[in-house]
Structures are given as C-alpha cells and as structure tokens.
Amino acid sequence: MFIDRTPMFPPLPTKAWFAPLTLAAAATVTPLVAHADGQVVDRVYDPYVQPLEKELEWRTSAIPGKDKTWGGEQIHHLGLGRSFSDRWFGEVYLIGARDSERDLKLEAIELEAKYQLTEQGEYAADWGLLFELEHEREENVWEAAATLISSREWGRWTGTANLSALYEWGDDFKNEWESELRMQARYRWLPHFEPGVEFYAGQDYRGIGPIVRGEKKLPGASKLMWEFGVIQGLTSDSPDQTIRLLLEYEFF
C-alpha cells in the first residue's frame, strides 16, 4: 500500500535518517506493560484497508537456539483475510508454536478485524483500529486486544506506531491487563527494497533493530509483499535476538 512511487533508482536519504531515531526516542519514555508470557516482536500494522482485497499471510518470529533462556522458540501465524468494505478488513489465523523441546503444534486460533478511521492523507497522520480475539486451545486461555494505529509520512519516510491494550483470562489463569508498543520507521527507496528500523516494548522487554520490506507486482491485480527483520534485545530480561519474517500474497 505505497503511494508516490519514484524513478527506478532514487537518491539515498540524508537528513531523513534522523526520523527513526526520533521515533525510537519517543518510545523509551512511554510507560508500558506487555506480553510477559509471549514474544513481543511481531508485525507492525498499517491503518489502511483496500476495497475487495483478499490476502493469504504467513509470518513467524523466532529466537535463535544459541539464546540460553529463549533459544529455539518460534511462533507461526497462518492467516486468510478479506476486506468487507472500504473501511473494514477481517482475518482468521491459525497460530502454531515450537521450541527446542517441542515440535510445531497448533496452539491457538485468532480472529482479527481492522477498521480504517480516516482517509489516507486526510489529516497529518492516518489512523486506524485493530481488534483481536485469541483462544489458546489446550490451556483454555482467552486474550482480547484493541490497538490504536497511526501512520505518517515525511518525504520518503513512513513512520507507523501500534499501541495496544490487552486483557487475558481463563481457567486456572490469573486475569490480567497488559499493553504493548510497536514502532516502525521505513524509507521508501524502491518498491522492492525499503529499509527501516523497528522498536518494540513490553513488560520485561525492549528491542530495536533493522528491517527490510518490499513488494513484487504479479499478473493481474495481485502482489507479493515481504518483510524481514532482526531485533536486538536491549535489556537483560530480553532475548538477545529475535528474527521475524512475513510473506503476504494480496489479490482481488
């Protein structure tokens, strides 16, 4: 969902590199509580909905096996979604997990709905809401989340922030509120190569690292979008490194 595309080889950024630093600095002063029992690193959502769009998505976040505490942990999402109007988009996910002691297994099912609050370019920033409901099958634990999404452009830079409030409840489970912050600053250099940086914050977790995003147009109105990132933990309680990968096929 990119706009204002440029010639094949546009100039590299100069002063615009200050944008992600400002974004990350703002996050460090935000009080947060989040995902004490799960990985914080995941995708950063944009607020946009395309009418008639359908998508097939796979994404994963994995902690390398050399990490003494978290090594080998992987979370996989496989989703199928579609837009229901020019404002609403819904998706269903199967969530699998594995670690150094367990093979990949279906752990949870999630329903997701995104609502685009403002038209793109209507205000200084574009806004949206994301609603999620997840059920963990074996432990009978539920999680509901609401996320405020904001995105703004500065020249070739796009900055996006997701601020979430979550509530967990279930059998033999301490009901609790959590929150989470994800931020991304991305430079729209080429359609198939957009470098950037992401920042994540949650309870006992802070992480920052480089990401690359791109898309390839396919025959018809379809396209393939991908993201790859390596997030470094910033605190002693955070995994040393988390790798995230996303592949998304969009069609109409």
Side-chain angles (χ1 to χ4, degrees):
M1 301 175 184
F2 309 117
I3 61 172
D4 188 27
R5 286 301 184 188
T6 56
M8 184 61 185
F9 293 100
L12 285 168
T14 53
K15 293 182 180 180
W17 282 107
F18 289 104
L21 299 179
T22 304
L23 198 62
T28 60
V29 299
T30 306
L32 291 168
V33 187
H35 276 311
D37 53 353
Q39 292 188 18
V40 178
V41 177
D42 200 352
R43 76 174 297 175
V44 178
Y45 287 85
D46 65 47
Y48 308 115
V49 173
Q50 296 288 343
L52 306 177
E53 180 186 10
K54 303 177 182 67
E55 72 173 39
L56 179 63
E57 175 192 336
W58 171 76
R59 71 180 192 264
T60 183
S61 56
I63 300 172
K66 64 182 180 180
D67 190 287
K68 294 181 180 179
T69 303
W70 303 88
E73 181 176 317
Q74 300 177 12
I75 304 294
H76 298 267
H77 290 71
L78 180 63
L80 180 64
R82 59 162 295 177
S83 60
F84 297 99
S85 69
D86 60 350
R87 295 282 186 171
W88 282 102
F89 184 90
E91 193 152 7
V92 179
Y93 287 99
L94 301 178
I95 303 175
R98 62 161 295 178
D99 57 31
S100 57
E101 299 180 353
R102 298 180 303 163
D103 293 331
L104 181 63
K105 184 178 180 180
L106 179 63
E107 295 283 345
I109 299 174
E110 180 180 276
L111 300 178
E112 180 181 283
K114 180 167 68 172
Y115 181 69
Q116 183 174 332
L117 284 170
T118 61
E119 295 290 342
Q120 189 169 6
E122 182 179 2
Y123 300 103
D126 302 321
W127 298 88
L129 292 172
L130 181 72
F131 304 98
E132 300 165 280
L133 180 64
E134 178 183 320
H135 180 236
E136 295 185 17
R137 298 168 62 245
E138 291 188 359
E139 299 180 2
N140 195 29
V141 174
W142 292 81
E143 178 182 281
T147 300
L148 179 64
I149 306 171
S150 180
S151 185
R152 181 173 178 176
E153 296 185 356
W154 301 271
R156 296 188 186 276
W157 281 100
T158 297
T160 305
N162 296 175
L163 180 60
S164 304
L166 309 95
Y167 184 69
E168 293 182 323
W169 73 97
D171 298 339
D172 301 321
F173 183 84
K174 182 181 179 181
N175 299 353
E176 59 181 355
W177 283 96
E178 302 177 349
S179 64
E180 180 177 290
L181 178 67
R182 307 173 189 174
M183 306 183 81
Q184 180 190 88
R186 190 179 76 254
Y187 183 72
R188 303 190 311 278
W189 185 31
L190 298 169
H192 57 274
F193 187 80
E194 300 187 348
V197 63
E198 290 182 344
F199 177 85
Y200 294 85
Q203 183 176 358
D204 302 325
Y205 184 86
R206 297 290 187 277
I208 191 170
I211 63 103
V212 179
R213 173 174 171 166
E215 69 171 32
K216 173 67 175 178
K217 291 187 180 298
L218 301 175
S222 61
K223 63 182 178 180
L224 181 67
M225 191 268 283
W226 59 274
E227 292 182 345
F228 176 77
V230 180
I231 309 301
Q232 303 292 331
L234 298 177
T235 67
S236 59
D237 293 323
S238 304
D240 295 334
Q241 188 179 83
T242 304
I243 298 171
R244 81 172 192 88
L245 176 65
L246 179 147
L247 294 174
E248 185 176 281
Y249 174 61
E250 299 179 1
F251 56 102
F252 294 83

